[in-house]
Amino acid sequence: INAEYGGIGRMEMVSTIAEASGVSIPSRARNISRFFAHSGIATVTTGIAAGQLSTYFHLSCGPLIPFLLGAWVGFSGACISFYRTERDRAMTYIQLYPRLMRQALSSEFELNMIGLRPGLKLREWVTGGLGPVSYAVFAAQGIDDTVAELHREAREAIMEEYKQVDVDDADEEVLRFVD
């Protein structure tokens, strides 16, 4: 996910389509469904590919064992990939929206219990191991809707600026980019 520019991931497209129909999906449920879709697709795809390859190479064990091994590898890879994506999103949110992340952490958890003391910067806290990273990921997933709203407002402000630009100024701007 390219959080800085408000990009949308492939798995988030399904929830966006569902929300366009008027159905509101909570952010936690959306993230769980993204994980299930991500891991399910990877598991089945690598499992089937491994099973097919085993029949191509005429392995004596048949396609079932290679399918299971491939599915295991696919699921493991999907879990690692999903974790890295979510961790990177949390780190990006900590960098771009530190007050929002601190508020999300304080509203979700007892800050003393998770080791986030007043005056300790989030970047320093999150480097303290897997626990702080997990809490940061959880908080980042909780503020997805708020960050999306901030991006929509920023995009609308940019659109308003373009609407206010004089036609002659717009032509000069286009020529500047063409040269």
Side-chain angles (χ1 to χ4, degrees):
I1 297 243
N2 191 345
E4 185 176 355
Y5 299 107
I8 188 166
R10 282 182 232 113
M11 296 299 169
E12 289 177 326
M13 192 66 78
V14 174
S15 62
T16 303
I17 292 169
E19 287 175 355
S21 67
V23 175
S24 177
I25 301 172
S27 63
R28 301 273 187 252
R30 190 171 45 244
N31 285 302
I32 290 170
S33 65
R34 279 189 324 110
F35 172 73
F36 284 147
H38 187 79
S39 62
I41 290 170
T43 300
V44 170
T45 303
T46 55
I48 290 175
Q52 289 296 318
L53 284 173
S54 74
T55 60
Y56 178 73
F57 291 114
H58 305 292
L59 297 179
S60 61
C61 62
L64 181 61
I65 301 298
F67 171 82
L68 293 174
L69 291 173
W72 174 66
V73 167
F75 181 77
S76 299
C79 288
I80 292 168
S81 169
F82 191 82
Y83 167 76
R84 287 180 178 167
T85 300
E86 294 301 307
R87 181 199 59 202
D88 292 347
R89 178 192 315 220
M91 296 303 175
T92 300
Y93 285 2
I94 286 173
Q95 183 179 2
L96 297 175
Y97 313 107
R99 290 188 336 211
L100 190 58
M101 282 291 287
R102 187 175 283 277
Q103 190 280 331
L105 285 164
S106 67
S107 67
E108 296 279 342
F109 312 105
E110 180 67 36
L111 294 182
N112 291 333
M113 302 260 315
I114 63 173
L116 184 57
R117 295 174 303 281
L120 183 63
K121 295 186 184 234
L122 285 176
R123 293 289 274 173
E124 295 170 6
W125 170 75
V126 83
T127 59
L130 188 59
V133 172
S134 299
Y135 287 119
V137 165
F138 195 68
Q141 289 175 345
I143 65 170
D144 274 343
D145 294 336
T146 306
V147 170
E149 184 178 334
L150 287 171
H151 287 230
R152 272 192 297 278
E153 289 173 2
R155 191 174 295 123
E156 288 173 7
I158 292 170
M159 290 173 53
E160 285 301 318
E161 287 179 22
Y162 279 120
K163 290 178 183 176
Q164 300 298 327
V165 172
D166 188 25
V167 174
D168 293 333
D169 292 341
D171 289 340
E172 290 176 17
E173 186 174 326
V174 168
L175 290 175
R176 191 170 17 151
F177 284 116
V178 172
D179 291 336

